[in-house]
Amino acid sequence: MTRKTPKREDWTSAPAGPLAGELRVPGDKSISHRAIMFAALADGTSRITGFLEGEDTLATARAFAQMGVRIDTPNPSERVVHGVGIDGLKAPAGPIDCGNAGTGMRLMAGLLSAQAFDSTLVGDESLSKRPMRRVIEPLTQMGARIDSEAGGLPPLRIHAKQALSGIDYTLPVASAQVKSALLLAGLYAQGETRVTEPHPTRDYTERMLQAFGWPITFDAGHARLDGGHRLRATDIAVPADFSSAAFFLVAASIVPGSNLLLRDVGINPRRTGLLRALRLMGGNISEENRRESGGELVADLHVRYAPLHGIDIPERLVPDMIDEFPALFVAAAAARGTTRVSGAAELRVKESDRIAVMAKGLQSLGANIEETPDGAIIRNAPLVGGDADSAGDHRCAMSFAIAGLISQDPVRILDCANVATSFPGFVDLANRCGFALG
Ligand code: S3P
C-alpha cells in the first residue's frame, strides 16, 4: 500500500532581492519526531514547545495516537503528550502511515520490533522506494522479525516480539536514523546495545534519552545503553531547524546587498556543516546570542551577502551537512570557480536522488554541473531561468526557489507540495524577506 502525494503544486521564483529582515524558521524536524516518540513512551505528561507542524512530524504524532497515546494541541507549535510508559503502546487498528518521512519509518521500525503486537509501516511514493535493509538487518540480528517488499523496500510488516537481545553493531554508513532505530530497539532488549558509527552523526536520540532519564553513555561516534529502564516525562523546547534556515543562509549569501537575521536556530555541530562550508567559500555568517536551550546549542544566525568562491567540500563535513547539499549546489553555481563534492553517495537515497535531481534541474536553468557517482562538480555559470523539476523533494524545491533569485528569467519549480513535510509556510516567510515566489 502506497500513499500518493496528495496534490501537485508548481511555483515560480522570479529574480529578486536583496533579502532583509528577521525571521524564525519552523521547529527542528529531527527533534520534533523524537520528542513525540520519547514523550509517548515516558511515564507522565511532557510538553513540547516549538514543535514542527510539518507533514512528516504530524504523521509521527498520528502514529502514536493510533497506538493509544493522547496528544493535545494547545496551540499549533505545542504538543502535550500523555505518556503511556515504556510498555503502554496498544496495537494500532491498521497500518501506520509514515508519509514522506524516512526518520519516522526507520525509528519506528526499531521501536515496533520490540512490541507485543504486529504492525505495518507504509509510506508515500518516495518513501516506498527508500532502502530499509539498513535497519532490517541489524534489527533482525537483535531478534526482530520484519518482512519487506523485494529489495528491502516498504511496507514493513513487523511481527510481535516479547524481547530482543542487545547488539554490538558498527554501522556500514553514517546514519543517525539507523543508529536511533537500534537504540530504540535497545530500550527493550536484554543486555547492552552498542552502536559505533564510521563518522559521528546527529546525537538527538542520545541527548533526548538522557533528558528523559534513561541511562546512556555516548560520545562522537559511539553510543551504548542497557534495556530495562523507564523514561520520565520532561518538557522539550525545540529550536528552529538548521536545515530550514540553510535555504536563507545560502539565499542571503548569494543575493547582493542581503542582510538577514535567523532567530533561535539549533547549531548542534552535527548539523552545521553547511555553515562551515559557506565560511570556507567566503560566506559572512555570524552566530549571535549563542546559548543553550533545552540541552541544545542555539544561536541567532546573522548572514550578509558575500562573494563566494568554489572549494573542494571536505569529506569530513559531509555527514554534518547531509541534508544541505541541494542548497549548497545552488551556492556553488553562484560561486566563482569550481566546487567539488565527493563522498556523498547517500544523497542518492534521500527523498529523491538528490544528486540527479539537482544536477538535472540546475542544468536546465543554465548551470554548469556535472554528476559524479558520489557527488558533483559545479563550475560558475550564470543562471538563465526555465523549468526545474523537484521530483517531489522538499529540499530540492526550496533550493530551486533560491536559484530563481539569481536567475536572469524566472524559474518555474515543479512538484513542490512536499515542502509542507518540513517547512510549512516557506512561501510566505520567503516573500516576507524579499523573495518573489508564488
Ligand atoms: C535524520 C538523519 C539523516 C537525515 C534526515 C534526518 C534523523 O538521515 O538525512 O533528514 O532525524 O535522524 P540518515 O540517517 O539516513 O543519514
Side-chain angles (χ1 to χ4, degrees), residues 29-31 33-34 103 106-107 130 134 174-178 180 201-202 204-205 322-323 346 350-351 354 395:
K29 180 150 74 78
S30 293
I31 296 178
H33 277 298
R34 288 161 171 84
T103 305
R106 296 200 177 111
L107 270 59
R130 296 185 64 187
R134 51 182 63 196
S175 166
Q177 293 176 356
V178 178
S180 302
T201 62
R202 64 193 73 190
Y204 299 130
T205 298
I322 194 64
D323 293 334
E346 274 293 295
K350 293 294 179 189
E351 285 82 328
R354 286 183 172 160
R395 299 202 195 283

Side-chain angles (χ1 to χ4, degrees), residues 30-283:
S30 293
I31 296 178
S32 295
H33 277 298
R34 288 161 171 84
I36 293 283
M37 293 180 189
F38 293 125
L41 297 172
D43 298 314
T45 300
S46 303
R47 182 176 295 270
I48 306 168
T49 49
F51 177 72
L52 169 65
E53 270 215 319
E55 285 171 8
D56 278 11
T57 43
L58 291 174
T60 290
R62 268 195 305 271
F64 283 87
Q66 264 178 280
M67 293 188 278
V69 181
R70 194 179 126 206
I71 303 176
D72 301 329
T73 304
N75 67 63
S77 64
E78 207 168 309
R79 291 294 181 279
V80 174
V81 182
H82 302 271
V84 293
I86 193 82
D87 292 314
L89 294 179
K90 305 228 163 49
I96 292 175
D97 187 353
C98 303
N100 192 245
T103 305
M105 185 171 283
R106 296 200 177 111
L107 270 59
M108 279 197 273
L111 171 65
L112 294 173
S113 289
Q115 302 301 316
F117 50 80
D118 295 342
S119 52
T120 300
L121 294 173
V122 302
D124 72 359
E125 214 175 314
S126 148
L127 183 52
S128 300
K129 291 186 205 132
R130 296 185 64 187
M132 293 297 147
R133 217 175 246 151
R134 51 182 63 196
V135 287
I136 296 173
E137 274 177 9
L139 289 171
T140 304
Q141 286 176 38
M142 295 176 82
R145 278 182 56 216
I146 305 176
D147 301 326
S148 68
E149 296 300 301
L153 298 181
L156 301 182
R157 294 185 178 77
I158 304 173
H159 297 264
K161 184 78 196 174
Q162 291 312 326
L164 304 174
S165 348
I167 191 173
D168 183 351
Y169 190 71
T170 300
L171 300 183
V173 286
S175 166
Q177 293 176 356
V178 178
K179 168 178 66 176
S180 302
L182 302 186
L183 293 176
L184 274 158
L187 303 182
Y188 296 86
Q190 278 155 9
E192 175 184 84
T193 294
R194 258 178 203 274
V195 186
T196 306
E197 306 175 277
H199 299 281
T201 62
R202 64 193 73 190
D203 54 5
Y204 299 130
T205 298
E206 298 89 310
R207 287 167 173 276
M208 218 179 279
L209 280 169
Q210 202 164 51
F212 279 91
W214 196 284
I216 175 166
T217 52
F218 62 97
D219 57 27
H222 303 273
R224 77 155 293 288
L225 55 72
D226 291 304
H229 299 279
R230 298 195 70 84
L231 296 163
R232 263 194 325 269
T234 189
D235 293 344
I236 301 282
V238 182
D241 197 322
F242 182 86
S243 295
S244 297
F247 302 106
F248 293 96
L249 294 179
V250 169
S253 294
I254 63 174
V255 177
S258 296
N259 186 344
L260 264 186
L261 189 70
L262 302 163
R263 291 218 176 275
D264 304 335
V265 183
I267 53 161
N268 181 313
R270 299 283 72 82
R271 293 292 299 286
T272 49
L274 178 77
L275 198 59
R276 283 169 269 156
L278 285 175
R279 284 176 177 154
L280 291 171
M281 296 170 80

Side-chain angles (χ1 to χ4, degrees), residues 11-15 400-405 407 409-413 435-438:
W11 297 344
T12 300
S13 177
F400 292 135
I402 304 170
L405 290 168
S407 288
D409 292 324
V411 170
R412 195 161 70 106
I413 312 154
F435 282 64
L437 184 60

Side-chain angles (χ1 to χ4, degrees), residues 12 43 93 95 181 207 290 293 296 306 321 350 371 393 420:
T12 300
D43 298 314
R207 287 167 173 276
R290 225 176 124 99
S293 164
E296 281 295 329
M321 56 185 290
K350 293 294 179 189
E371 277 188 53
D393 186 318

